[in-house]
Amino acid sequence: MQPRLIMLLGVAAVTVLLPLAGASAGPVGDGDAKSPLPSPSAALSNAPSESRAGAESGAESSSVGDSVADSGAATAARCGPELSSPDGIEAQTCVLRLGRDTWARTYYRNATGEELTAVLTLMGPGGRTVQMHCEVAAEDEPAACETPRERSAGDAAAYSAVAEYAAGETAGLLLRSGSNSAPPQDS
């Protein structure tokens, strides 16, 4: 065959196959169209650092180096159901594990129109707890807050997490979301 004909056929093949490859991949980040919260599997590495206000830890803190994250190890997530309050806060709380580390993350969306506070607590075996106080901006955008990563001290099933969302000191609790929460029962 002539080199021009081979090159022309190659260009035609790429022109035909490229749109098909894009269509089969689907739109980037569309997730679950019904869920206003980021999907835990899609957002495992996307916790905004500005939502980390301060940490209180009852255990020694350790961190995983980039080598574990870069090694391609999968992060395991155990999440409770997505919950919402009549006041306009929606949340889902998860216990995450990567390599030797375990931590908690809560995904939320604040449509209340006012700034909230959240307390995220990771509870582990032997009474170990890690607590994070999170500022929840008055924005109707999905966000996340997480505890620092801790060296795992047992089986992943021995860990649980709870996030409590409140508006000011007088308004009280608006929503409690847990990693081990039972889904709501229809009556």
Side-chain angles (χ1 to χ4, degrees), residues 1 8-9 29 33 37 48 91 110 138 141 144 151 159 164 169 178 183:
M1 283 187 136
L8 183 60
L9 289 174
L37 299 175
N110 180 7
E141 293 295 323
R151 177 69 52 100
Y159 285 87
E164 297 178 316
E169 296 189 20

Side-chain angles (χ1 to χ4, degrees), residues 19-39:
L20 292 176
S24 67
V28 176
D30 65 344
D32 181 5
K34 297 178 185 176
S35 175
L37 299 175
S39 107

Side-chain angles (χ1 to χ4, degrees), residues 31-32 35 37-46 75-82 91-96 103 105-107 144:
D32 181 5
S35 175
L37 299 175
S39 107
S41 60
L44 285 175
S45 63
N46 296 333
T75 302
R78 194 178 74 252
C79 301
E82 290 181 20
Q92 182 178 28
T93 302
C94 303
V95 171
L96 307 169
W103 69 102
R105 183 179 294 162
T106 184
Y107 300 93

Side-chain angles (χ1 to χ4, degrees), residues 1-7:
M1 283 187 136
Q2 295 180 351
R4 282 187 180 183
L5 182 59
I6 292 172
M7 195 164 55

Side-chain angles (χ1 to χ4, degrees), residues 61-90:
S61 175
S62 67
S63 63
V64 172
D66 291 337
S67 61
V68 173
D70 293 340
S71 71
T75 302
R78 194 178 74 252
C79 301
E82 290 181 20
L83 301 175
S84 62
S85 76
D87 300 303
I89 184 77
E90 302 171 22

